[in-house]
Amino acid sequence: MEILPKASLLDYNTFKIDVSCQQLIIIEEESEITSLFKAKVFEEKHFIIGGGSNLLFVNDYDANIIHIRTKGIETVEEDSDFVYLRVAAGMVWNDFVDYCLSNQYYGIENLIGIPGCVGSSAVQNVGAYGVEAKDLIYQVEGYNIRTKNDFVLYNADCEFSYRSSIFKTKLKNQCLIVNVVFRLSKKETYNLEYEALRSRLDESDLSLQYVSEMVLELRNSKLPDISEIGSAGSFFKNPIVSNQHLRQLLQLYPNLIHYDTDDGNKKLAAGQLIDLAGWKGVRDGDAGVYPLQALVLVNYGKATGKEILDLAKKIQQDILEKFNINLEPEVNIIQ
Ligand code: EPU
């Protein structure tokens, strides 16, 4: 365990916001977690982070940040169809994807290139190109920091939904996720329901290597490389509207993209709304709307969290006025 007083969080958030915290506590081994309880770290104000890829720090954080950096993948069980892998929460998501690809485990290839760590993939139910983490997660293991008891939650108990889970709702800030157990397919199978991906592929010649390369190409054609430009991916969630609301909008914007939701409503593409409202490529100092994907806000250099948040608020206000839609942030805003 490493404890860094008054540490800068610049290298711990992909938005590259330069704020500090009281203490940065870095956990490298699962066994160190018990010392956190002994030191009563969870009884003071704190925040747990993984890859920091879905956060916007608006101010210096006047408390402790606990950064989970545990690593490791263990095969729990396998049969001829599936393999069950227990993966440490601090493992970099993409390293885990690479591991699956090199072992010919299917199901995760559409999620290649997503920034962040394995623990946060369960909190956030990350998703891309027709696949979500919930499709692969078998169970989530960790500690309830209030009761200090360990827990195992099966997939059905995690209340996964679009970019959400019980860890963002009922159990928000109450759980320290230690491991996630994933179930991957050993049989060749692909999810090509996402039109933009399918149209890039020659379906007569599929392989894990080929599909994952095409996914990466598609991502890179729209999303910024976080090693070069600060960003937390999509800043807002795609909004859900009623059928009646959609009908009204279609009269003004006949090309509006919409998808059916399970509960009979319609999901719109927030990126398209922001684009139609004229925000794509807009830059205000170092805070900007990414020119290739309007749903992504970026930090071109030295933007503060407040500058990014101000830009986000202006966009929200404008989308409310133009479309009567409240855009909800997908990014976790830490004030
Ligand atoms: N669109 C525009 N203009 C834009 C951006 C998008 O017209 O500036 C249109 C696109 O042409 C497309 C539609 O909007 O028809 C949807 O766009 P896209 O396929 O890029 O997907 P998205 O809904 O904007 C979601 C996820 C992404 C994920 C992609 C691919 C959310 C909030 N975002 O974006 O996830 O990579 O689908 O599956 O659900 C993330 O969560 O950080 C993230 C990047």
Side-chain angles (χ1 to χ4, degrees):
M1 179 156 69
E2 216 180 325
I3 300 180
L4 307 171
K6 287 280 164 216
S8 163
L9 296 175
L10 184 65
D11 293 332
Y12 297 89
N13 73 100
T14 60
F15 243 129
K16 291 280 169 195
I17 305 294
D18 192 5
V19 289
S20 64
C21 62
Q22 288 291 327
Q23 289 190 111
L24 176 64
I25 303 174
I26 300 174
I27 298 291
E28 308 260 7
E29 303 288 337
E30 191 178 324
S31 57
E32 294 165 354
I33 291 169
T34 44
S35 30
L36 289 177
F37 285 111
K38 277 191 201 129
K40 299 192 168 33
V41 167
F42 298 117
E43 287 167 36
E44 292 163 23
K45 187 177 169 195
H46 66 274
F47 190 71
I48 302 168
I49 62 169
S53 60
N54 201 46
L55 303 174
L56 178 67
F57 287 108
V58 181
N59 304 303
D60 285 334
Y61 191 70
D62 66 343
N64 295 335
I65 296 282
I66 301 161
H67 173 49
I68 305 295
R69 210 148 69 185
T70 52
K71 299 271 180 294
I73 301 177
E74 170 201 355
T75 301
V76 185
E77 206 183 303
E78 63 184 304
D79 54 33
S80 53
D81 292 336
F82 295 105
V83 62
Y84 294 76
L85 302 172
R86 174 173 288 115
V87 189
M91 182 108 197
V92 171
W93 174 261
N94 220 34
D95 290 348
F96 170 48
V97 175
D98 284 346
Y99 175 89
C100 295
L101 297 181
S102 55
N103 284 284
Q104 294 291 114
Y105 298 149
Y106 298 81
I108 204 169
E109 58 284 353
N110 292 20
L111 303 183
I112 192 170
I114 294 183
C117 290
V118 163
S120 358
S121 75
V123 177
Q124 178 68 5
N125 184 22
V126 296
Y129 311 113
V131 177
E132 291 182 307
K134 74 167 173 60
D135 304 330
L136 310 168
I137 291 174
Y138 179 74
Q139 70 184 35
V140 179
E141 305 169 349
Y143 288 93
N144 183 309
I145 58 184
R146 292 210 182 144
T147 63
K148 301 189 177 88
N149 292 328
D150 51 5
F151 71 82
V152 175
L153 280 183
Y154 290 102
N155 181 306
D157 303 321
C158 293
E159 299 183 7
F160 288 121
S161 61
Y162 169 58
R163 292 299 191 278
S164 188
S165 71
I166 198 166
F167 308 108
K168 272 182 95 172
T169 53
K170 283 183 203 152
L171 294 179
K172 187 171 178 177
N173 298 337
Q174 287 182 47
C175 294
L176 177 70
I177 294 176
V178 178
N179 293 300
V180 182
V181 178
F182 293 88
R183 189 185 80 150
L184 280 306
S185 174
K186 289 168 75 175
K187 294 263 161 71
E188 187 169 13
T189 162
Y190 303 100
N191 181 328
L192 303 179
E193 75 183 44
Y194 200 85
E195 164 58 26
L197 175 61
R198 199 170 57 238
S199 61
R200 264 177 190 257
L201 291 162
D202 171 2
E203 289 191 50
S204 65
D205 192 22
L206 298 177
S207 70
L208 262 186
Q209 173 80 2
Y210 174 51
V211 174
S212 57
E213 271 170 18
M214 290 300 116
V215 171
L216 267 186
E217 259 189 38
L218 186 54
R219 280 191 78 83
N220 296 341
S221 69
K222 290 189 179 183
L223 298 171
D225 176 351
I226 51 157
S227 65
E228 286 169 15
I229 303 179
S231 145
S234 302
F235 195 91
F236 301 103
K237 288 187 186 178
N238 285 330
I240 292 166
V241 298
S242 66
N243 287 289
Q244 192 196 354
H245 193 165
L246 174 67
R247 274 196 300 277
Q248 288 163 354
L249 290 171
L250 283 172
Q251 284 172 7
L252 287 169
Y253 307 96
N255 297 327
L256 225 48
I257 294 148
H258 50 90
Y259 313 94
D260 293 334
T261 62
D262 292 344
D263 58 1
N265 289 311
K266 302 286 178 193
K267 190 192 266 186
L268 305 184
Q272 188 190 31
L273 303 177
I274 300 168
D275 191 350
L276 285 169
W279 288 94
K280 198 170 186 166
V282 167
R283 183 168 172 171
D284 192 355
D286 271 352
V289 180
Y290 194 55
L292 301 176
Q293 161 55 294
L295 193 48
V296 175
L297 300 191
V298 290
N299 173 7
Y300 285 107
K302 293 204 175 325
T304 62
K306 178 156 187 318
E307 286 165 341
I308 303 273
L309 186 60
D310 285 347
L311 177 62
K313 284 183 179 164
K314 285 184 202 161
I315 294 171
Q316 276 173 314
Q317 185 58 34
D318 195 32
I319 298 301
L320 183 62
E321 283 164 17
K322 293 200 167 96
F323 303 98
N324 194 23
I325 289 175
N326 261 311
L327 284 186
E328 206 186 303
E330 197 222 339
V331 167
N332 200 345
I333 297 167
I334 317 289
Q335 309 256 16

